[in-house]
Amino acid sequence: MAAPTVRRRSRRRALRTLLIVAPVLGGAASARAGEYPLSTVIFGSLEAGPSGFVTVGAKVAADRIDRDGFVALASLGTGRRGERGPSLAGARPTILTRWTMLGAALAGYQWVADWGVVALFAGPEGSIESLSGPGGAAFLPARPGLRIHGEVWARPSEDTLLTATLILGSARGHAWGRLSYGWRAWGASVGPEAALYVDETGYRKTSLGLHATDLEVGDLRCRVSAGVLMESGRASAGPYVSLTLWRPL
């Protein structure tokens, strides 16, 4: 009976990892998850490439992070991207920079199973944007909206990790999705990822790369990824890197 007991303990440790990570953009649990109830996880993420975005936030569970139950997710982010503006006859298109600040406060529920966790959130979001170019800068009206956020984090086996995330928001008419798969290697889950972002301005961003999830940096855990990013309005693709850090409290 020793071998089945070891396997059950291993699966419980893997499940705790998924439960802390799932609604927090990527990551894994500290070993302390088995010692006392964890109810809060703080996180921050950075995506750098032709465009960039920084996000900070927190996830709070009503009871324990490793049980079915109600959870809340709050985030605030800011970023910039280049886009083509209007052009005069015979002149090159104007290049503008769009600055965005986007925040959300969501409530939801997580369902826990031996293989992983499913989480679904909904709540208000808000956006503030500005456009800057050769003629100066202009602030756009603030826009409130509703966001729906769904995630699945699953371990098909002891050594594999599958994630799927979808976010829909009405403040900017945007949608973002990411799918990744990983195999246990070098103390992390390593494998391919693909992501897609679109919004009502006609902007589209597609990325393909590799990720490493559950890397340990002191008291923090992290998810790092890199690859190729393609944006609308750009003739060629460019590199991107992405980093997410999180810590249970």
Side-chain angles (χ1 to χ4, degrees):
M1 294 301 291
T5 300
V6 170
R7 285 196 293 269
R8 285 195 296 271
R9 289 176 179 171
S10 178
R11 291 197 67 85
R12 284 197 294 270
R13 286 194 295 269
L15 179 57
R16 293 191 189 105
T17 293
L18 295 178
L19 289 166
I20 290 183
V21 173
V24 186
L25 306 179
S30 163
R32 294 175 300 174
E35 298 173 11
Y36 60 85
L38 292 172
S39 60
T40 303
V41 180
I42 57 173
F43 62 89
S45 67
L46 166 67
E47 182 179 301
S51 60
F53 208 85
V54 177
T55 303
V56 295
K59 173 203 170 188
V60 180
D63 184 13
R64 287 176 55 109
I65 219 79
D66 58 351
R67 296 176 181 170
D68 289 1
F70 292 98
V71 286
L73 182 65
S75 64
L76 179 65
T78 183
R80 66 168 183 83
R81 72 180 194 231
E83 59 184 61
R84 294 178 181 269
S87 61
L88 300 176
R92 289 186 176 183
T94 303
I95 302 301
L96 302 176
T97 300
R98 182 181 293 267
W99 296 88
T100 300
M101 180 172 288
L102 186 64
L106 312 179
Y109 197 89
Q110 66 180 15
W111 292 268
V112 179
D114 289 341
W115 51 266
V117 58
V118 177
L120 182 63
F121 301 83
E125 67 171 13
S127 172
I128 300 175
E129 294 184 312
S130 70
L131 287 172
S132 61
F139 283 91
L140 305 181
R143 301 180 61 180
L146 175 68
R147 179 182 297 189
I148 299 174
H149 179 146
E151 294 204 354
V152 177
W153 286 69
R155 286 203 176 274
S157 70
E158 293 287 346
D159 298 319
T160 58
L161 174 65
L162 171 67
T163 76
T165 305
L166 178 63
I167 299 175
L168 304 174
S170 63
R172 305 180 65 247
H174 60 279
W176 179 82
R178 183 177 68 195
L179 183 67
S180 72
Y181 196 84
W183 292 266
R184 179 60 59 177
W186 305 296
S189 293
V190 180
E193 69 170 16
L196 172 66
Y197 173 88
V198 295
D199 64 35
E200 62 184 16
T201 68
Y203 176 78
R204 179 188 180 99
K205 179 170 67 175
T206 305
S207 61
L208 298 171
L210 296 173
H211 75 93
T213 298
D214 194 11
L215 296 170
E216 186 173 358
V217 182
D219 292 336
L220 301 174
R221 295 298 179 101
C222 72
R223 181 186 197 275
V224 61
S225 60
V228 177
L229 183 146
M230 294 150 280
E231 291 183 295
S232 55
R234 291 183 177 271
S236 60
Y240 80 91
V241 293
S242 179
L243 173 66
T244 299
L245 300 172
W246 66 95
R247 181 181 181 182
L249 297 180

